């Protein structure tokens, strides 16, 4: 789950990271009031779940409260990479002398957290990684040992050679790491971490992604969810406990089990088709879940056919077949459906479907080939 900059700032500030004073507002007049309270130069920042807000015109400096109000008026309602801005942050603007990048991600290769720092901060780190990877210093962290004092010093020394600055950056990276671990984050970054002309270090941006599977133990973070940034499909899927990832193809997939769902997508590709989504309806394939899955998929205008691929282990195929018939009678589908039900009681299931004029394929190859052909308009 993504959280907003202001929420990540709150988490980091709670751990003692130096964060400039800020408030979040939803209308221009409030922005003016906050700018008056803060005094001096402020920065008005769009709160949306995307990076590169600065380049998109979503981060503006203001010298006066009137200017802050004007910027807030322009930024609120703005579209940034497809997301509408509903909130802006008004923050004390720091004078910037140097901009650094510090971040942590979970790394597959080292199977643990990896710290990344770069003296090329402020800009989008992906382009630094692509164009000048030598400018990013990476340090894998042993998750059991955690970030050691000497590693924190090493990271800080990589960024700046002034003792007073290193002395401030080292505790910031330690606090960032502690926040990352304590929040079950999959990513935590400060870009830029700045040094002002008076030699003081500040986190002027903050980003954290939280592992969805750990949200149950962080109710205070789960409550930070902003569904304004979530599509209706994703919200429905989440509320029903479905794992759904939208893709660009035209073969809609409803599958039970993540492994089977991925295999189904591989096979669609193998037969020259393109999956419209990944969708795992989970172990139990209750009719409500299947219907919700159908709703989500039919709302995608690209989809030409729905492929239902269920393996009946503990779930019995005949139950699934009955549930499916019931559900389809209650709410007929607007798209063609191809079905494969296999496993426990599959013969009975096939019989039930046949009684209602539906077929169930025996093999994966059969059903996938058929779905791909239908999506092409060839069957
Ligand atoms: P992003 O573009 O979404 O990553 O948003 P940032 O919060 O990183 O802001 C983009 C850029 O705006 C930063 O790299 C800074 O150059 C500038 N900026 C942000 N906050 C401040 C501030 O407090 N003072 C000054 N002078 N510039 C700022
Ligand atoms: Mn940034």
């Amino acid at each position: 789950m993504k959280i907003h900059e202001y929420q990540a700032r709150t988490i980091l500030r709670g751990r003692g990271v130096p964060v400039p004073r800020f408030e979040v507002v939803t209308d221009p007049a409030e922005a003016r009031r906050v700018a008056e309270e803060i005094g001096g130069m402020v920065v008005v920042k769009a709160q949306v779940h995307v990076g590169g807000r600065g380049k998109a015109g979503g981060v503006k400096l203001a010298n006066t409260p009137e200017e802050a109000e004007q910027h807030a008026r322009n930024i609120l309602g703005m579209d940034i990479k497809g997301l509408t801005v509903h909130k802006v942050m008004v923050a004390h603007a720091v004078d910037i002398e140097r901009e650094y990048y510090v971040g942590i991600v979970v790394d597959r290769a080292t199977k643990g957290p990896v710290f990344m720092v770069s003296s090329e901060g402020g800009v989008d780190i992906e382009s630094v990684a692509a164009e000048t990877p030598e400018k990013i210093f990476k340090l894998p962290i042993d998750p059991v040992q955690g970030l050691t004092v000497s590693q924190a010093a090493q990271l800080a020394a990589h960024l700046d050679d002034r003792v007073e600055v290193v002395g401030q950056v080292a505790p910031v990276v330690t606090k960032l790491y502690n926040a990352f671990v304590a929040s079950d984050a999959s990513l935590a970054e400060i870009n830029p971490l700045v040094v002002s002309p008076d030699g003081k270090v500040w986190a002027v941006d903050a980003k954290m992604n939280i592992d969805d599977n750990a949200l149950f133990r962080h109710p205070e973070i789960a409550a930070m969810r902003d569904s304004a940034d979530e599509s209706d499909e994703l919200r429905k899927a989440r509320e029903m406990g479905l794992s759904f990832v939208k893709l660009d193809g035209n073969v809609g997939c409803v599958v039970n089990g993540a492994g089977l769902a991925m295999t189904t997508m591989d096979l669609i590709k193998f037969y020259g088709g393109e999956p419209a989504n990944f969708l795992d309806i989970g172990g139990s394939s209750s009719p409500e879940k299947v219907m919700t899955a159908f709703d989500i998929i039919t709302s995608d205008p690209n989809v030409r056919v729905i492929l239902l691929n269920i393996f009946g282990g503990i779930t019995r195929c005949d139950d699934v077949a009955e549930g499916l018939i019931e559900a389809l009678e209650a709410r007929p589908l607007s798209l063609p459906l191809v079905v494969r039900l296999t496993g426990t009681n599959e013969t009975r299931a096939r019989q039930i479907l046949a009684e209602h004029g539906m077929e169930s394929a025996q093999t994966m190859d059969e059903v996938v080939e058929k779905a791909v052909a239908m999506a092409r308009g060839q069957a």
Side-chain angles (χ1 to χ4, degrees):
M1 182 182 91
K2 290 178 179 176
I3 61 173
H4 287 296
E5 176 195 359
Y6 75 91
Q7 296 164 325
R9 274 191 179 213
T10 305
I11 292 175
L12 295 181
R13 184 178 58 189
R15 294 194 163 261
V17 172
V19 171
R21 187 173 162 194
F22 68 94
E23 250 182 75
V24 173
V25 300
T26 51
D27 77 70
E30 276 182 82
R32 180 196 186 110
R33 175 189 58 78
V34 174
E36 268 161 14
E37 273 172 33
I38 292 175
M41 187 156 74
V42 296
V43 59
V44 182
K45 311 180 75 178
Q47 298 297 291
V48 276
H49 291 154
V50 286
R53 295 163 300 165
K55 272 192 199 148
V59 177
K60 294 282 182 200
L61 292 167
N63 287 305
T64 62
E66 293 70 35
E67 222 182 309
E69 179 174 355
Q70 192 51 49
H71 288 320
R73 185 168 294 122
N74 293 339
I75 295 173
L76 284 163
M78 186 184 263
D79 182 285
I80 301 183
K81 299 180 184 171
L83 298 174
T84 307
V85 182
H86 298 291
K87 292 178 191 156
V88 292
M89 169 192 292
V90 179
H92 167 70
V94 177
D95 266 348
I96 300 181
E97 186 198 82
R98 306 283 296 272
E99 297 187 83
Y100 300 136
Y101 172 92
V102 300
I104 315 159
V105 291
V106 176
D107 180 59
R108 281 171 201 274
T110 60
K111 299 176 183 169
V114 169
F115 233 110
M116 291 183 294
V117 299
S118 175
S119 48
E120 303 288 306
V123 286
D124 132 53
I125 198 68
E126 283 79 15
S127 42
V128 179
E131 287 151 30
T132 48
E134 69 282 359
K135 290 190 173 155
I136 301 177
F137 173 63
K138 292 187 181 181
L139 184 65
I141 306 301
D142 178 334
V144 177
Q145 195 171 33
L147 180 75
T148 65
V149 173
S150 76
Q151 284 175 323
Q154 191 188 354
L155 290 165
H158 198 86
L159 295 176
D160 207 295
D161 47 23
R162 292 167 289 182
V163 172
E164 340 57 91
V165 175
V166 172
Q168 294 173 72
V169 174
V172 168
V173 298
T174 303
K175 288 163 184 168
L176 180 65
Y177 182 79
N178 293 341
F180 170 86
V181 173
S183 314
D184 285 311
S186 53
L187 175 147
E189 67 177 32
I190 302 173
N191 185 28
L193 179 70
V194 307
V195 187
S196 57
D198 59 4
K200 177 116 181 49
V201 169
W202 293 99
V204 308
D205 190 11
K207 178 174 175 184
M208 290 178 84
N209 293 347
I210 312 297
D211 183 343
D212 289 328
N213 294 315
L215 281 176
F216 74 96
R217 56 182 189 186
H218 303 288
E220 72 297 347
I221 299 177
M224 291 178 179
R225 185 183 296 281
D226 183 348
S227 30
D229 280 7
E230 193 180 39
S231 68
D232 282 354
E233 290 81 53
L234 277 178
R235 187 185 40 76
K236 270 194 219 162
R238 181 172 51 76
E239 286 170 1
M240 252 301 158
L242 311 173
S243 311
F244 173 78
V245 180
K246 167 134 176 45
L247 301 166
D248 298 327
N250 56 11
V251 181
C253 307
V254 182
V255 188
N256 68 335
L260 188 61
M262 288 198 275
T263 312
T264 306
M265 290 163 51
D266 280 351
L267 212 55
I268 291 172
K269 287 266 193 185
F270 178 80
Y271 282 110
E274 290 293 335
N277 64 283
F278 167 92
L279 202 162
D280 170 16
I281 62 173
S284 95
S285 15
S286 72
E288 299 97 290
K289 281 191 175 183
V290 175
M291 284 319 283
T292 307
F294 287 166
D295 283 349
I296 293 167
I297 290 174
T298 48
S299 72
D300 174 351
N302 292 333
V303 178
R304 310 286 293 273
V305 57
I306 300 180
L307 194 170
L308 177 71
N309 187 9
I310 302 289
F311 175 78
I314 296 170
T315 316
R316 291 165 33 189
C317 290
D318 52 334
D319 283 350
V320 177
E322 263 160 18
L324 179 67
I325 298 293
E326 218 176 285
L328 290 177
E329 276 171 1
R331 212 139 32 106
L333 260 184
S334 54
L335 286 168
L337 174 71
V338 292
V339 182
R340 173 192 178 238
L341 278 172
T342 192
T344 313
N345 292 358
E346 64 176 72
T347 316
R348 175 77 194 116
R350 228 166 263 133
Q351 207 178 326
I352 295 168
L353 292 181
E355 281 160 16
H356 292 84
M358 286 174 68
E359 284 172 44
S360 163
Q362 303 252 5
T363 69
M364 288 264 284
D365 288 277
E366 202 186 315
V367 76
V368 170
E369 250 190 301
K370 189 169 166 192
V372 171
M374 286 172 84
R376 287 215 189 97
Q378 292 170 351

